[in-house]
Amino acid sequence: MTEVQSITGVRNELGAVRSRGETIGLVPTMGALHDGHVHLIRKMKEQASFVVVTVFVNPTQFGPNEDYSNYPRTRERDRQICEQEGVNLVFYPDVEEMYPVEPAISFMIKGLTDHMCGKSRPGHFGGVLQVVNKLFNIIQPDLAIFGQKDIQQFALIDRMVQEFNHPVRLIIGDTVREADGLAMSSRNAYLNKKERKRAPLLYDAIKTVNEIVTSKPDVSVQDVLVEQEQRLKANDLKIDYLAVVNFYDLQPVVHIVPGSRYIVAGAVINGTTRLIDNLITDFKQIS
Ligand code: PAF
């Protein structure tokens, strides 16, 4: 496994790889790797002959009161995981390498960030697109994978790929869960015992909304959401949002059309930790 910190270094390495005709697959991460990332690496290894993992805690996607400085950094463990999983190259630039000067150009996103995480984390997705755009230009991957847990991120990157004509095929990775249903996330490390115990309730609420709206499409989506929000609040989880949105444009849904694709998504504040989760509706019960 090759480890590279500089953009010039990674370009030199990948130039040779590309000229051998290999398929380059990118797994972008912010490190603190867990089984969710392992799933992404393994899925990528099925499709790409040369897998690149990037590890970079990107400052431009954190708001001023967010956890940039506390974000877990576990470099040695990340290295070991990548090695065990047969990753070919790890790119772990520092901030000066990625942002040698204060960026003067930023992403303006219309519509797609008015709801869900975009609403409560202004500027976050602009920062994500900025760094992913840079990574696509540096690595020039044939394939890139992002997890379903960050579904709004996936939708925005997909849109950027289309609008900016990036020659990359995107793959979505499943959400990997703990035994009690909690979606794996590097931020789960922040939870104390009490917070950890109630954390799976978000997924529970999302599953319940999904079950109700897919089995009784005439139901008021709003009523179903309010009921589940109350349940979460009663368990000391602060609601950021709980929503049913269209799969294609992430706009909130009022009436369910059986067979259409929706995303049931939510974010809660558990203690001081923000947790997100979602699932894609499945109408097989009624079709
Ligand atoms: O999903 C993440 O870990 C990050 O948002 C990403 C895509 C690596 C960009 O920093």
Side-chain angles (χ1 to χ4, degrees):
M1 184 174 83
T2 311
E3 292 172 81
V4 191
Q5 246 189 318
S6 72
I7 295 171
T8 317
V10 86
R11 283 206 165 125
N12 288 342
E13 291 286 337
L14 293 176
V17 172
R18 212 167 281 114
S19 63
R20 294 199 297 265
E22 303 228 35
T23 308
I24 299 175
L26 170 64
V27 186
T29 81
M30 297 207 298
L33 302 185
H34 50 67
D35 284 356
H37 296 109
V38 169
H39 163 76
L40 300 181
I41 294 170
R42 290 185 182 168
K43 194 158 175 175
M44 184 51 87
K45 277 186 72 80
E46 287 166 12
Q47 305 205 34
S49 60
F50 193 96
V51 173
V52 178
V53 171
T54 60
V55 176
F56 179 62
V57 184
N58 172 40
T60 70
Q61 68 187 75
F62 289 80
N65 300 317
E66 294 186 352
D67 54 344
Y68 173 66
S69 49
N70 300 333
Y71 196 84
R73 288 160 172 87
T74 57
R75 191 163 137 52
E76 185 43 34
R77 199 167 166 272
D78 294 347
R79 206 194 64 73
Q80 282 169 15
I81 292 175
C82 288
E83 184 117 60
Q84 273 160 23
E85 292 303 319
V87 168
N88 301 92
L89 187 146
V90 179
F91 176 49
Y92 64 105
D94 59 19
V95 176
E96 289 69 37
E97 184 69 7
M98 289 298 274
Y99 300 108
V101 292
E102 177 79 19
I105 299 170
S106 62
F107 278 80
M108 207 186 87
I109 304 163
K110 273 198 262 171
L112 289 169
T113 50
D114 293 349
H115 306 288
M116 301 163 71
C117 297
K119 190 172 176 192
S120 43
R121 299 187 70 189
H124 166 67
F125 287 116
V128 170
L129 294 188
Q130 180 178 43
V131 78
V132 173
N133 191 48
K134 282 168 85 71
L135 291 172
F136 282 173
N137 287 325
I138 295 165
I139 313 284
Q140 298 179 19
D142 299 292
L143 308 165
I145 190 162
F146 299 87
Q148 186 192 317
K149 185 170 74 67
D150 297 290
I151 190 104
Q152 193 170 19
Q153 166 172 285
F154 185 88
L156 283 155
I157 294 170
D158 187 35
R159 189 69 180 250
M160 178 182 78
V161 164
Q162 290 169 40
E163 292 189 12
F164 285 58
N165 305 96
H166 279 289
V168 60
R169 181 160 68 79
L170 298 184
I171 303 173
I172 190 157
D174 299 334
T175 303
V176 180
R177 300 185 180 280
E178 303 286 356
D180 60 5
L182 174 65
M184 287 195 185
S185 160
S186 306
R187 290 193 168 99
N188 292 349
Y190 300 151
L191 301 173
N192 67 27
K193 240 174 152 182
K194 209 165 139 197
E195 292 159 357
R196 173 64 189 81
K197 199 158 172 238
R198 64 190 177 212
L201 288 171
L202 173 60
Y203 183 49
D204 245 51
I206 288 172
K207 274 194 305 189
T208 307
V209 172
N210 177 52
E211 272 159 31
I212 299 175
V213 300
T214 53
S215 57
K216 298 182 201 152
D218 290 338
V219 80
S220 153
V221 175
Q222 191 53 27
D223 289 353
V224 178
L225 293 172
V226 168
E227 197 179 317
Q228 291 309 310
E229 283 183 5
Q230 280 164 355
R231 195 179 140 215
L232 293 171
K233 279 186 207 154
N235 283 282
D236 292 330
L237 293 167
K238 196 167 155 237
I239 313 292
D240 182 345
Y241 66 85
L242 189 65
V244 181
V245 300
N246 273 314
F247 184 79
Y248 298 99
D249 61 7
L250 305 181
Q251 297 304 306
V253 166
V254 183
H255 301 295
I256 295 290
V257 177
S260 298
R261 283 190 111 187
Y262 302 109
I263 296 163
V264 184
V268 291
I269 316 296
N270 184 0
T272 53
T273 307
R274 188 170 180 280
L275 300 176
I276 61 171
D277 206 342
N278 69 79
L279 59 80
I280 299 170
T281 54
D282 179 358
F283 279 91
K284 64 179 173 295
Q285 304 97 303
I286 58 161
S287 58

